[in-house]
Structure formats: structure tokens, C-alpha cells
Amino acid sequence: MANFGYFGLTYLLRRGNGNRIGMHSVEEIESLFRRHGWVMRRGELTQEGVHACTLDRLIDEGLILKPRTGYYMWAAEDGPDELALLLRIAP
């Protein structure tokens, strides 16, 4: 998949199907991450209806990161700090 960067993604989404990726808007997905402390597990995202193809697209566009298998974190400036991430993914 091509990497359009955040502003390119915003343009494509607004031009085509609004500000949506899959069944959710970028704002809805950001809200999910905010409610879960900016770090979510794959199962939590699946329960919320966020599919694997949507996660792949968000990763490709740089909106989320995958620091460990099964864990995803919001990549915005107001997202998680390193301590929050470590506390969440440490065994």
C-alpha cells in the first residue's frame, strides 16, 4: 500500500468517503484509543469492530504504531508516553 502520509490520507478520505477508514472515522478510532489509555490490544479493537485491514491501513499511514505483537498505540503527539506503554505491554 502506498504511504501518503497523514495529510495525504486526510485528503484522500475527505475526497472519497469522508473522514473514514473502513467502518470508523479517524476521530472514532482516536476516541477508542483515548478511552483505553492510548494503547489497545488486538482483541479490544476487534470487539469494537476495528478490522485487521483497517489496522494495517492506520499503521501504513502512521496514525498508529505496533510496538509488540497484538498491541497497538496511537501515534499522535498527545498520545501515550513511554511509561504508559511499558506498563500496558509488560508481562
Side-chain angles (χ1 to χ4, degrees), residues 27-38:
E27 290 81 13
E28 290 170 339
I29 295 172
E30 180 182 8
S31 177
L32 285 174
F33 275 92
R34 185 180 305 116
R35 285 190 309 231
H36 287 87
W38 300 108

Side-chain angles (χ1 to χ4, degrees), residues 13-50:
L13 292 173
R14 288 187 180 148
R15 186 185 68 151
N17 59 353
N19 198 14
R20 302 190 82 71
I21 295 180
M23 307 249 335
H24 299 279
S25 71
V26 173
E27 290 81 13
E28 290 170 339
I29 295 172
E30 180 182 8
S31 177
L32 285 174
F33 275 92
R34 185 180 305 116
R35 285 190 309 231
H36 287 87
W38 300 108
V39 179
M40 294 184 73
R41 298 198 64 184
R42 171 76 182 267
E44 294 169 333
L45 288 159
T46 301
Q47 285 179 342
E48 296 287 346
V50 180

Side-chain angles (χ1 to χ4, degrees), residues 37-71:
W38 300 108
V39 179
M40 294 184 73
R41 298 198 64 184
R42 171 76 182 267
E44 294 169 333
L45 288 159
T46 301
Q47 285 179 342
E48 296 287 346
V50 180
H51 299 284
C53 59
T54 302
L55 293 173
D56 290 342
R57 187 167 175 192
L58 290 166
I59 290 169
D60 288 345
E61 301 304 333
L63 294 174
I64 63 172
L65 302 172
K66 186 176 180 180
R68 181 176 173 187
T69 302
Y71 287 86

